[in-house]
Amino acid sequence: ASRVFESDIAHACQEELAITVLDVMRRRTLLALGPDGGPETAERVSRLMAGRLGWDEPTRQQMVKDYLTEWQRNRACLEDVS
């Protein structure tokens, strides 16, 4: 599994004003680009973000769902190319 550092997530939320799992995973940490950028890592990131941003559970789950939809779409595009 990808290494998720709480300090990276905190920095992305506090200093770079990231407010979505997609933003943190893809733009702020590049976790989405690694081999473990899928559901398990997104869940860990979302739990760290939820505590910092005050998300309730439905919001956290939606953020993960939104990220995974985009992640799967991008993976499908890559598979079509290869």
Side-chain angles (χ1 to χ4, degrees):
S2 290
R3 294 175 64 176
V4 175
F5 295 103
E6 186 172 358
S7 60
D8 291 341
I9 307 308
H11 178 81
C13 293
Q14 292 173 343
E15 302 300 323
E16 298 179 17
L17 306 177
I19 58 169
T20 67
V21 172
L22 177 63
D23 191 13
V24 169
M25 294 279 293
R26 195 157 177 209
R27 295 180 192 97
R28 311 303 175 164
T29 65
L30 303 180
L31 288 166
L33 301 178
D36 300 314
E40 183 181 317
T41 302
E43 284 288 331
R44 288 188 292 176
V45 168
S46 73
R47 291 186 191 288
L48 292 169
M49 292 182 73
R52 297 197 167 277
L53 300 177
W55 294 344
D56 58 13
E57 186 60 14
T59 300
R60 188 194 70 76
Q61 289 177 3
Q62 186 62 50
M63 290 290 181
V64 172
K65 181 180 175 185
D66 292 348
Y67 165 74
L68 291 175
T69 298
E70 181 69 11
W71 180 74
Q72 289 168 340
R73 187 181 67 78
N74 289 330
R75 287 177 51 96
C77 288
L78 290 174
E79 289 172 6
D80 287 345
V81 171
S82 56

